[in-house]
Amino acid sequence: MKYEELLQTYPESPRLHYAKAQALDSLAESQRSNKHLEEAIAAYQRTMSSKNVPEKLYLLAGKRAADRLRFRGFSGKSVKLLTEMAEKFPLDIDLKNQVAIGYLLIGQNQLAKKVLLEALKVAPDSGFAKVHLGFILKTDESNYEDSIKYLSEGIATRETGVIDGRFYFHLGDALHRIGKKQEALKVYEDAVKEGLFLSVYQRSLYNVDNLTGKPWWNPQSTRYAPDFKILEKNWITIRDEALSLINEKYSGFMPETEGLQEKGVWKQLELFSRGRKIEKNCLKAPKTCTVISQIHDAASCKRGQVKFSIMHPGTHVWAHTGPTNCRLRAHLGLIIPEGASIRVADETRKWEEGRVILFDDSFEHEVWHNGSTYRLVLIIDFWHPELSIYQKRSLTPI
Ligand code: LMR
Ligand code: MN
C-alpha cells in the first residue's frame, strides 16, 4: 500500500494516517472484511494521536472510528472513545449527543440520561438531546409530565433525527396515560401526516407496505381457517396443560415487563418466539407445542410469539400498539370468566372458551379484567396472510 511508504517518511502526518484509514474503510466495506475494518479503526485512532493533528481532522477521524467500532459490534469501546473526545471538547454538543446514543444502544439508559442533561446545560435548545431525554423519562421512569415536555419541545425543533416515529409514539402514549386523550390524538395525527404511522390507530413502526390493515379479522375467512380448527379441536388439552403449570406455582410464567399495565397481575409463558421453539418452556407444555408445530405460519412467525397469557381480576392493560404490521394475533379462549374484554381500535369484544378470535395487534388495543376469577388464553401470532414466502424468509425477527 502506497501509504505505508509515505508513512515511513512522514510517520506523524495526520493526513496520511487519515487517508490510509479511509482507504482501508472502503476496502473493508467492499470486501466485507472485519480485518480491514479493524485496521481502518486503528488508522483513524492513529490519526487522532498524531502530533499536531488539526482539531477538525481529530473530530472527523474520531467520529468515524466510533461509528465503525459500533458497526463492528464493539459498542462499549465506541462509547469510551466518544467520551474521551467529549471530555476534550466539552462544548461540542454533537459529541455529547453521540455519547448518549452510545449508552442507549448498550442499555445504559441512566448514563445516557446524565450525559443528555449535561448536553442541555451546554445547549439548552438541542432538540436531539430533548427527544432522547424525553424518551428515557417515559420508557424507564414513567415520568410522563417531564417526558411530555421534552418530547414535544424536541420534536418542535424539527432538527435532524427528531422526526422519528418512536418519539411521537411515546409522546402520544404519555399524554394518553395522564388523561390528555385529545392531545394524544393530535400527536398521532401529526405522525400520520409525517408518514411515520400507517394510521392514527395503527402505530407499529416495523411495517411492510401495502398489507391489508384492519383491527378485527374473521378467523373463518382467512386461509388460516384450518389452523384455527386444529387449535379449537385441541383446546381442552391445551387448557389442561396450562392449568397444571398454574397449579404448580405458575411454573415458567413471567410477569409482563414492558410497562403496559396500569394495574393488576398479568403473566405469560412463552412457547415460541421469533419463529423458534423455546425448548425449556416446551418441555413444560409439550402437547401444546406439538399442536403449534403443525401450524407452519405460527411456528415460523419470526415477527411474533406463541404464549399462554393469564390475567387476574382487577387488571387494566393500557391502550398500546404492537411493533409490526406483519402478523395477525389469534387468541384461543381457555378460561373465560365474566368481566374481561378487549378493545381493538373502536370495537370491544369478549373471548369464548374453545374459540379463536383474530385481530391485528399493530392497531391500538386495550384490555380490562373486572371479573372475579382469572382469564387464561393462548396467544398465537401468524404471519400476515399477504406476505410472500420470500418476505417471510427475509424479514428481520422481532
Ligand atoms: C395483548 O395481546 O396485548 C393482550 O391482548 C394480551 C392478553 O393477554 O390479553
Ligand atoms: Mn398487545
Side-chain angles (χ1 to χ4, degrees):
M1 197 175 198
K2 63 179 191 289
Y3 298 113
E4 297 300 343
E5 280 166 40
L6 285 164
L7 280 165
Q8 303 267 323
T9 323
Y10 308 104
E12 281 304 318
S13 161
R15 283 182 188 79
L16 270 180
H17 285 291
Y18 187 71
K20 177 182 160 187
Q22 283 188 305
L24 285 162
D25 199 342
S26 328
L27 201 61
E29 208 159 311
S30 64
Q31 301 191 354
R32 294 166 180 257
S33 153
N34 280 337
K35 181 170 165 283
H36 291 318
L37 182 57
E38 285 168 27
E39 289 165 352
I41 293 167
Y44 283 124
Q45 290 186 294
R46 186 66 186 80
T47 309
M48 300 168 79
S49 62
S50 306
K51 270 185 219 142
N52 305 321
V53 57
E55 214 166 84
K56 236 174 118 183
L57 196 61
Y58 170 93
L59 287 169
L60 213 56
K63 286 181 186 177
R64 182 66 185 168
D67 176 83
R68 294 294 84 189
L69 277 166
R70 184 184 298 158
F71 177 80
R72 177 69 186 88
F74 302 145
S75 301
K77 285 188 181 157
S78 170
V79 187
K80 190 160 170 271
L81 176 62
L82 288 164
T83 306
E84 280 165 27
M85 294 167 66
E87 276 161 10
K88 226 171 167 149
F89 294 95
L91 299 181
D92 187 322
I93 179 72
D94 178 48
L95 273 175
K96 282 199 171 44
N97 282 335
Q98 290 309 315
V99 173
I101 296 293
Y103 278 132
L104 279 172
L105 287 172
I106 56 173
Q108 297 276 12
N109 293 14
Q110 286 305 309
L111 290 172
K113 178 182 170 185
K114 192 169 153 258
V115 178
L116 290 166
L117 288 168
E118 285 165 19
L120 285 169
K121 270 194 203 129
V122 177
D125 296 326
S126 167
F128 192 90
K130 283 183 180 175
V131 287
H132 286 88
L133 180 58
F135 179 85
I136 296 170
L137 293 171
K138 159 71 170 52
T139 56
D140 264 38
E141 302 181 18
S142 303
N143 177 347
Y144 303 130
E145 306 274 350
D146 291 339
S147 77
I148 290 166
K149 170 178 161 358
Y150 285 115
L151 285 168
S152 49
E153 287 178 12
I155 288 171
T157 65
R158 302 196 66 84
E159 267 172 34
T160 309
V162 308
I163 306 299
D164 179 314
R166 288 169 304 167
F167 303 130
Y168 285 80
F169 186 105
H170 286 290
L171 173 56
D173 197 36
L175 286 163
H176 178 88
R177 290 188 187 194
I178 64 165
K180 297 193 169 168
K181 309 229 162 139
Q182 283 309 312
E183 287 176 47
L185 184 61
K186 170 77 174 52
V187 170
Y188 296 149
E189 283 166 353
D190 289 349
V192 172
K193 278 188 212 131
E194 298 288 351
L196 301 170
F197 296 158
L198 293 165
S199 72
V200 161
Y201 272 140
Q202 196 178 19
R203 303 192 293 271
S204 49
L205 297 173
Y206 297 87
N207 299 319
V208 163
D209 289 342
N210 302 318
L211 296 179
T212 299
K214 57 179 183 179
W216 285 102
W217 289 62
N218 175 357
Q220 302 324 319
S221 48
T222 68
R223 63 181 176 79
Y224 298 134
D227 299 320
F228 300 135
K229 283 259 151 36
I230 297 179
L231 289 167
E232 292 180 348
K233 206 177 85 205
N234 287 286
W235 83 276
I236 291 185
T237 311
I238 294 171
R239 178 196 66 189
D240 290 349
E241 207 163 42
L243 275 179
S244 70
L245 295 170
I246 290 165
N247 291 333
E248 276 171 48
K249 301 187 191 151
Y250 295 92
S251 175
F253 278 77
M254 308 289 275
E256 187 281 327
T257 53
E258 285 169 58
L260 299 178
Q261 258 171 285
E262 181 193 14
K263 54 184 182 176
V265 178
W266 173 25
K267 291 184 181 157
Q268 302 185 333
L269 172 64
E270 258 190 0
L271 302 176
F272 285 72
S273 178
R274 301 172 157 215
R276 294 187 148 183
K277 210 181 200 177
I278 300 178
E279 295 291 347
K280 83 173 193 311
N281 291 343
C282 279
L283 288 176
K284 294 177 186 286
K287 292 178 194 158
T288 305
C289 287
T290 301
V291 173
I292 300 300
S293 298
Q294 299 165 37
I295 303 181
H296 185 258
D297 277 282
S300 70
C301 180
K302 279 191 284 169
R303 293 198 156 188
Q305 294 95 39
V306 176
K307 55 195 181 185
F308 287 115
S309 171
I310 183 164
M311 196 174 280
H312 286 257
T315 302
H316 172 226
V317 179
W318 288 116
H320 66 284
T321 301
T324 176
N325 73 341
C326 295
R327 69 189 187 206
L328 296 182
R329 176 157 278 195
H331 282 191
L332 174 64
L334 298 175
I335 295 182
I336 308 301
E338 279 301 307
S341 54
I342 174 166
R343 172 180 69 82
V344 185
D346 301 319
E347 197 183 328
T348 302
R349 295 193 185 177
K350 291 184 186 306
W351 299 266
E352 272 180 64
E353 291 182 357
R355 301 302 300 270
V356 163
I357 57 169
L358 184 64
F359 64 99
D360 181 338
D361 82 323
S362 64
F363 284 80
E364 176 182 297
H365 53 289
E366 181 171 13
V367 184
W368 299 265
H369 186 3
N370 300 319
S372 48
T373 53
Y374 62 72
R375 182 228 62 176
L376 177 67
V377 299
L378 179 69
I379 297 176
I380 313 103
D381 289 333
F382 285 75
W383 281 120
H384 191 290
E386 290 160 6
L387 289 168
S388 68
I389 290 175
Y390 173 76
Q391 286 171 313
K392 292 188 240 185
R393 202 177 297 147
S394 56
L395 283 165
T396 52
I398 292 182

